[in-house]
Amino acid sequence: MIELNFSNMMEDVVGVNGLSGGIIENFRDRIEDAHKQIQDRAWPELAFIDLLSQDTSEIKNTARHIRETSENFLILGIGGSALGPRAILEAMSPFHNLRKKPRVFIYDNVDPRTLKHIISLVDLKTTSVNVISKSGSTAETAASFLILWNKMKKVLGREASNRFIVTTDPEKGNLRKIVNEEGLRSLIIPQGVVGRYSVLSSVGLLLAKVIGIDSDELLRGAMDIHKKCSDSELWQNPAYLFGVLLYLMDKEKHRTINVMVPYADSLKPLSEWFCQLWAESLGKEEKGLTPYPSLGATDQHSQLQLWTEGLQDKVIIFIRINDYGVDIKIPDIFKGTEGFNYLSGHTLSELIKAEEEATELALAKAGRPNMTIIIPQIDAYHLGQLFHFFEIAAAFIGALFGINPFNQPGVEEGKNLTYGMMGKKGFGAKRKEVEEHRAKRGKWKVNKLNLSQCPHNCKTN
Ligand code: PA5
C-alpha cells in the first residue's frame, strides 16, 4: 500500500511555514462537506470510481487480437486520452520499443514531423491503430485519424478497417458514428468518465494488456486504495489529508505551486499525467493549484536551488520508491581518488534514496514544506493506487475550492478559435475575431520593426 508522510508540512518540523494540527482540525466541517459531495456523487463524473469494478473481458479480447496480429500499436489521442497510456507504458515497460513487440507509439500532437517519423518507422500492414477520444470531436485526434485512415486504406484496402480500434463514448460523437457505419472494433469510455479521470478505463487498460501488463492488478491496487480514500475520518484517509494539506497551504500560506518529483525515470510521465489532472481539474474561477512536473534526482541539478531559496510559493511532493527491484553496485576502483572512494561498495539505489531523503531534509531545514508519497515498488498494483489516489484527491480539492473539478471551460475558447481558422461550419465569427486580432498583432514585432517608422515616433540614432 502507498503511504503518505506529511511531517515536513507541519509547523513542529518546518517552523512557521508549516501547518498545525489545530488549523486542520478547525477545517473539519468543510472536509466533511467535501466528503459528502464525493460519497453522494454530487458530480456524475465521479463515475470514474465505478471503473474499479468494471468488466474488462472486451478489453482483454481486443488486446489479445492486437498482440496476435500486430508488430506496432499506434495510439492517436490527446490530453487525458494519451497521458494515462503513456504513464502506464513508461512506468511498466521502460525502453519498451527497444525490447518488445508490439512496439508502441503515442501520437498526441499534430506536429507533422512526429507523424512523418512514426509513419516511416512502422509497416502499416502490421500496425494496429487505437483512436482514443471521449468526445469524438477533438481536432487533433480527428486530424490524425483522418490521415491514418486514408493511408491505411491505400496500403490495405478494405482490410484497413480491421486494424482500427476506436475507444470513445458508448453512444455519442463522430467516432461512434463512424464505428457504427464502418463496423469498426471499438471499446467504450463510460458515460460520465472524463478524459483526465479515464486512465483506468479502456483508455489505459488496453495499452496495459497490449504490452503484457496485468490490468487486473492496476484495478486491484486502485480498489484497495479506494477503500482507504473513502474513509470519512480525515486522519485515516490519505487522499483527503493530501488534499487538505495542499488546500490549506494555498489558503493559509499562499503556496500555490505543487511540484511533483518522483525519484524514478519511469515515473516522469506519471508526473505529466498528474499535471494535467491538477491543471484542468483545479485551475478555474481564479482559483487552483499550479502543478509543475519534475524528476529526482536529475532536477536537483536544475531546480532544487529555486525550491530551496526561491519564492515561498511552493509545496514539493516527492515520490519515494522503497525497492527499485534491481540494483547496481558501484565498483571499488580508482582507489587513489579520495573524492570517489565514499561511493565504492554502495549501490545506485542506496545513492538515489539517500539523495531523496537528503533533499527532503534540506528543504525542511530551509523551512520549505514538502511531503512524500512512499511506494514499496513500481508495479501495476501500486501504479493503480497512485492513479486513483490522485484522482480522489483532485475531486476532493475541487470540492474544497467550491469548483467543478470535472469541466474545463477555459479550454473551449482556444478550440473554437481554431475551428474558426480551419473553416469549421458555424465558427465564422471566430475566424473574424482572429483576423481582427492579427491586425493588432502586426504593430508590435521586433524582427521587422523599422524604428524610423515606429508608431510611437521612436528615433533611430
Ligand atoms: O480531461 C479532459 O477531458 C481533456 O483533457 C480531454 O482528455 C482532451 O481534451 C481530449 O478529449 P477527447 O478524449 O474528447 O478527445
Side-chain angles (χ1 to χ4, degrees):
M1 190 70 77
I2 62 174
E3 273 175 54
L4 176 70
N5 190 317
F6 57 95
S7 312
N8 292 342
M9 298 286 276
M10 307 304 286
E11 68 179 6
D12 56 342
V13 180
V14 291
V16 289
N17 294 333
L19 298 167
S20 65
I23 289 188
I24 299 171
E25 276 297 333
N26 288 342
F27 208 63
R28 223 172 233 285
D29 289 351
R30 295 280 305 283
I31 293 164
E32 276 162 19
D33 282 351
H35 170 69
K36 196 165 172 337
Q37 273 181 275
I38 295 177
Q39 294 307 307
D40 294 351
R41 302 281 178 107
W43 298 283
E45 294 89 347
L46 283 159
F48 75 85
I49 295 169
D50 300 329
L51 294 173
L52 310 189
S53 49
Q54 74 195 284
D55 175 4
T56 55
S57 47
E58 196 49 39
I59 298 173
K60 288 173 182 158
N61 288 339
T62 309
R64 197 172 311 118
H65 165 79
I66 294 165
R67 283 169 72 86
E68 283 166 7
T69 59
S70 313
E71 297 274 303
N72 306 293
F73 181 56
L74 170 57
I75 291 181
L76 309 177
I78 197 165
S81 295
L83 289 161
R86 179 171 287 129
I88 294 175
L89 175 69
E90 294 300 323
M92 301 313 306
S93 191
F95 298 103
H96 179 84
N97 288 356
L98 298 176
R99 300 186 298 116
K100 288 187 184 165
K101 287 213 172 135
R103 293 185 300 170
V104 178
F105 299 88
I106 300 177
Y107 184 58
D108 66 345
N109 202 343
V110 279
D111 182 335
R113 298 180 74 204
T114 311
L115 191 55
K116 268 271 177 220
H117 282 304
I118 294 174
I119 290 170
S120 72
L121 286 168
V122 302
D123 176 0
L124 292 179
K125 289 196 189 113
T126 58
T127 299
S128 285
V129 183
N130 183 200
V131 189
I132 308 178
S133 175
K134 175 70 200 298
S135 62
S137 58
T138 304
E140 295 87 342
T141 309
S144 51
F145 166 62
L146 296 175
I147 292 167
L148 259 298
W149 180 264
N150 199 37
K151 285 200 182 292
M152 300 277 275
K153 279 278 168 197
K154 281 188 186 146
V155 175
L156 284 154
R158 292 171 63 150
E159 265 303 293
S161 317
N162 295 332
R163 299 227 139 257
F164 281 82
I165 303 98
V166 177
T167 304
T168 191
D169 187 275
E171 288 166 18
K172 296 188 300 232
N174 304 311
L175 282 174
R176 181 54 60 190
K177 184 166 166 282
I178 292 174
V179 165
N180 294 339
E181 283 167 9
E182 301 284 333
L184 303 182
R185 203 178 280 271
S186 79
L187 293 170
I188 62 157
I189 308 170
Q191 262 163 5
V193 175
V194 297
R196 56 194 177 276
Y197 295 82
S198 71
V199 59
L200 294 176
S201 73
S202 52
V203 170
L205 299 189
L206 179 66
L207 174 277
K209 284 304 284 179
V210 166
I211 61 171
I213 301 307
D214 187 352
S215 56
D216 293 341
E217 277 297 279
L218 282 163
L219 294 178
R220 192 171 70 84
M223 185 58 105
D224 285 353
I225 197 77
H226 184 67
K227 288 179 196 140
K228 284 186 94 58
C229 297
S230 308
D231 200 321
S232 60
E233 174 46 49
L234 170 71
W235 299 99
Q236 303 292 334
N237 185 320
Y240 289 2
L241 266 171
F242 183 73
V244 81
L245 289 164
L246 292 175
Y247 178 82
L248 287 175
M249 275 291 171
D250 172 29
K251 291 289 165 216
E252 302 287 327
K253 308 283 176 184
H254 310 294
R255 290 182 180 271
T256 57
I257 300 175
N258 296 170
V259 187
M260 174 55 64
V261 202
Y263 269 68
D265 290 327
S266 65
L267 295 185
K268 194 173 180 188
L270 177 84
S271 67
E272 281 154 9
W273 170 87
F274 166 83
C275 285
Q276 187 213 8
L277 182 68
W278 246 225
E280 268 193 352
S281 302
L282 305 176
K284 53 198 70 157
E285 298 179 26
E286 302 198 359
K287 300 174 189 167
L289 298 170
T290 303
Y292 133 19
S294 191
L295 177 69
T298 309
D299 291 335
Q300 288 177 205
H301 298 268
S302 66
Q303 299 169 15
L304 181 56
Q305 170 61 37
L306 173 75
W307 308 341
T308 315
E309 294 188 350
L311 285 180
Q312 293 272 14
D313 55 1
K314 298 169 205 64
V315 175
I316 315 298
I317 303 158
F318 296 102
I319 300 183
R320 180 192 296 179
I321 291 86
N322 270 346
D323 180 356
Y324 283 78
V326 294
D327 214 349
I328 300 178
K329 201 161 182 185
I330 304 171
D332 193 8
I333 53 176
F334 292 111
K335 292 191 167 63
T337 309
E338 193 53 41
F340 288 177
N341 282 350
Y342 72 99
L343 292 169
S344 302
H346 290 290
T347 66
L348 285 187
S349 83
E350 282 176 318
L351 179 58
I352 196 167
K353 285 199 262 181
E355 297 212 30
E356 189 273 324
E357 200 178 339
T359 307
E360 278 184 24
L361 175 56
L363 288 168
K365 279 177 67 181
R368 306 287 170 142
N370 63 86
M371 59 180 152
T372 306
I373 297 163
I374 302 158
I375 60 169
Q377 64 229 22
I378 301 174
D379 56 17
Y381 179 78
H382 294 103
L383 187 62
Q385 294 202 338
L386 287 173
F387 284 134
H388 194 71
F389 168 79
F390 289 129
E391 287 173 351
I392 292 286
F396 180 73
I397 299 173
L400 294 181
F401 272 121
I403 52 160
N404 177 349
F406 298 103
N407 64 5
Q408 55 283 326
V411 180
E412 295 310 313
E413 187 58 8
K415 277 191 191 174
N416 293 340
L417 291 165
T418 307
Y419 291 151
M421 282 190 269
M422 299 301 282
K424 188 169 177 177
K425 206 168 152 199
F427 290 85
K430 292 290 164 195
R431 186 189 183 91
K432 209 158 158 264
E433 257 187 72
V434 174
E435 280 157 7
E436 282 164 12
H437 188 66
R438 277 182 187 155
K440 285 189 210 152
R441 287 182 75 201
K443 196 163 97 181
W444 296 100
K445 284 187 197 165
V446 77
N447 55 342
K448 288 193 182 151
L449 188 67
N450 176 346
L451 287 181
S452 62
Q453 295 167 1
C454 174
H456 302 280
N457 296 325
C458 299
K459 298 267 182 288
T460 49
N461 49 17

